[in-house]
Structure formats: structure tokens, C-alpha cells
Amino acid sequence: MENTDLNKASSSTLQNNDTLSPEVWLKDGDSYSMKPEIRKRLLEIANDFYEFLKLDIPLLDITLTGSLSNYNYSQYSDFDLHLIINYDDVDADHELVEDFFNMKKTIWNNKHDITIKDYDVEVYAQDSGEPHHSTGVYSVKNDKWEVEPKKEDVKVDKNEVYKKSKSWARQIDNIEKFYKKNKFDKVISLVDKLKEKLKKYRSAGLDKGGEYAIENLVFKVLRRSGYIGRLNDMKEDSYDEKMTIKEYNKK
């Protein structure tokens, strides 16, 4: 039986619209500018997150990227808001800095549930030296395009995207079987290995073919269908279960 969630996520990921989202953008001839009320709110959110970081470092830019800054947006899209920071201003150990920012992002997301026009807002601290593969990047801070998207007739093998997404989804389903058997140490180990493998898989695709690479589309399908969330939840729940000592009623 086909996986309905994967099918829906795959179809939405591969759709290409005739215009940018009218909820976010104002059309002026052949170009677009961000609606003032949207920009104002994104700036407020970005600056609040910057204050939440509690770091005395320059905020170089605030950008919007992802499908809402491109023609492939859908109901699954979100505001992919990036705070551009030079990691060297924090520490020379970029892996340590990235872990710190990911931790702060997790805490922020657990405290807040912000939507704009029914789209979730995802905030991320990005290194200024990090290469970006998106074909649409808008500087919210400077109110101008850094990379203006172009309507493209992109040819993607939809069957291949679905087939590879299903393969990854099956691996996640298999990890869940160990969770149901209370094998929490194994779940934590398997989740870490699979996430690292998936990260390398997506990065290789982005380096080779950009945001329309099959590997990146597969990752988006897994995220939009909830599989990435399930993977993260299994690790967190396994840790909690492993560390819990349950109290039994004494007779």
C-alpha cells in the first residue's frame, strides 16, 4: 500500500506555481517586493531571536529563503528566516557554535508557536561563510532580493523522488519497531546514525545539483510528511524513557 503522507508531501514538494505567494509578495511588473506588514513582523521576530541569543556580535543580515521565496511553495511551506552571523565572531570552533545555535533554536521553538498567514516561522542562525544553494534569497533587513527567483520549467523524476523517500521512510519505520520494544539505547544510536547519513546525503545533492537535486527534494518530502519529526521525537522520547524510574504501587 502506498504511503498517503509521502504521496501528498511528494506532490506538494514538486509543484511549481505561476507566481510567488500572494500572501507574502507584491507583484510589480516582472518583479516582486515583500509586503510591508510581513516584512515588519519578520524583522520583529528575527530581532527578538537575536536578543534571545544573548551574544554581543554583529547581525549582518536577515534573509528569507526556501520555498516561500520561490515558486515551489505549498501548504507545507514555512517562513525560513535566517539570521546571518559570522561564526568566527563567536568562536573558531564552528561545530561548537552550530551546536549552540541549534540548542537555542530548539529552546526558542519549544517556547513559541508563531505563524504568519498560516505558515510556520522557522528561525535559524546561519554562518556568513556558509554556501547557500537556494535560487531565491530575500534580504528582509535591506528589503531587496539577493538572489531573485526565476520561473523555471524544472524536470524532476517524480517516481524516483517518491521511491527514495519511501526507502528512507522505511528505515525510520524500522527504528520505531525497536522503540516499541523498549530498546531505547539502540533507538538513540540508530537515530544518530541515520540523521548523520541523511545530512550527508542531502549535502551531497545540494553541492551537485542545487535545491532541485533529488536528494534535497527527498529530504523535504520526509520533513513535510512528518518523518523527520518522528525521528527526532523517537530519540528524545527514548532518552526520557531510559532515564525514568517508575514508581509502582506497593501492596
Side-chain angles (χ1 to χ4, degrees):
M1 181 186 295
E2 289 189 319
N3 187 305
T4 304
D5 290 336
L6 281 180
N7 259 332
K8 288 181 179 178
S10 181
S11 297
S12 71
T13 300
L14 297 172
Q15 76 181 45
N16 216 5
N17 302 289
D18 292 329
T19 66
L20 298 187
S21 170
E23 301 278 9
V24 182
W25 305 98
L26 292 171
K27 196 173 190 318
D28 182 16
D30 294 329
S31 189
Y32 291 85
S33 61
M34 185 174 285
K35 288 186 173 182
E37 65 271 23
I38 300 292
R39 177 173 177 259
K40 180 176 182 290
R41 186 53 48 85
L42 291 177
L43 285 173
E44 290 172 345
I45 295 169
N47 284 313
D48 286 344
F49 183 71
Y50 177 66
E51 291 296 321
F52 175 71
L53 294 177
K54 298 186 183 304
L55 293 173
D56 187 20
I57 54 175
L59 177 56
L60 304 177
D61 202 355
I62 301 166
T63 63
L64 179 71
T65 186
S67 56
L68 275 182
S69 64
N70 219 313
Y71 290 89
N72 58 336
Y73 63 92
S74 75
Q75 61 177 338
Y76 296 97
S77 296
D78 52 40
F79 283 95
D80 196 357
L81 194 60
H82 288 215
L83 278 68
I84 309 301
I85 293 166
N86 185 345
Y87 277 18
D88 285 333
D89 289 338
V90 184
D91 195 273
D93 187 342
H94 285 199
E95 186 174 347
L96 178 67
V97 176
E98 185 175 6
D99 287 343
F100 168 76
F101 283 140
N102 284 334
M103 177 195 70
K104 296 291 277 189
K105 175 186 174 183
T106 300
I107 295 171
W108 173 269
N109 287 336
N110 286 338
K111 290 176 63 177
H112 303 284
D113 184 16
I114 305 170
T115 62
I116 297 176
K117 301 293 186 179
D118 289 332
Y119 293 116
D120 291 333
V121 179
E122 292 288 333
V123 189
Y124 173 75
Q126 178 187 330
D127 182 21
S128 57
E130 178 184 325
H132 211 290
H133 303 278
S134 178
T135 55
V137 181
Y138 193 85
S139 173
V140 183
K141 180 180 179 182
N142 300 314
D143 200 16
K144 67 177 184 179
W145 288 103
E146 292 185 0
V147 180
E148 189 163 4
K150 293 181 173 57
K151 184 76 169 65
E152 299 177 274
D153 184 17
V154 181
K155 302 296 183 183
V156 177
D157 189 336
K158 297 182 179 181
N159 290 330
E160 186 70 6
V161 172
Y162 178 76
K163 184 173 73 173
K164 290 187 180 299
S165 300
K166 193 174 180 180
S167 175
W168 283 97
R170 190 177 294 115
Q171 294 181 67
I172 296 170
D173 288 336
N174 287 336
I175 295 176
E176 194 167 43
K177 293 177 183 177
F178 289 107
Y179 179 79
K180 290 178 179 178
K181 293 178 180 178
N182 298 332
K183 296 185 177 181
F184 302 124
D185 282 326
K186 189 170 185 67
V187 170
I188 292 169
S189 174
L190 289 174
V191 168
D192 284 341
K193 288 178 181 177
L194 191 62
K195 286 181 69 175
E196 183 62 26
K197 183 179 173 184
L198 185 57
K199 181 180 178 182
K200 290 179 180 178
Y201 174 78
R202 185 191 188 192
S203 294
L206 286 168
D207 290 341
K208 179 180 63 178
E211 66 175 318
Y212 287 104
I214 284 181
E215 295 86 349
N216 186 48
L217 295 175
V218 166
F219 178 84
K220 287 188 173 185
V221 169
L222 292 172
R223 184 174 60 194
R224 291 179 174 183
S225 60
Y227 273 93
I228 299 295
R230 280 174 56 193
L231 198 61
N232 293 331
D233 288 345
M234 274 192 286
K235 180 179 177 179
E236 293 174 4
D237 292 344
S238 292
Y239 178 82
D240 290 348
E241 290 287 345
K242 175 186 171 183
M243 291 301 173
T244 297
I245 298 177
K246 297 181 179 178
E247 182 177 352
Y248 295 93
N249 292 328
K250 295 180 180 180
K251 293 183 180 180

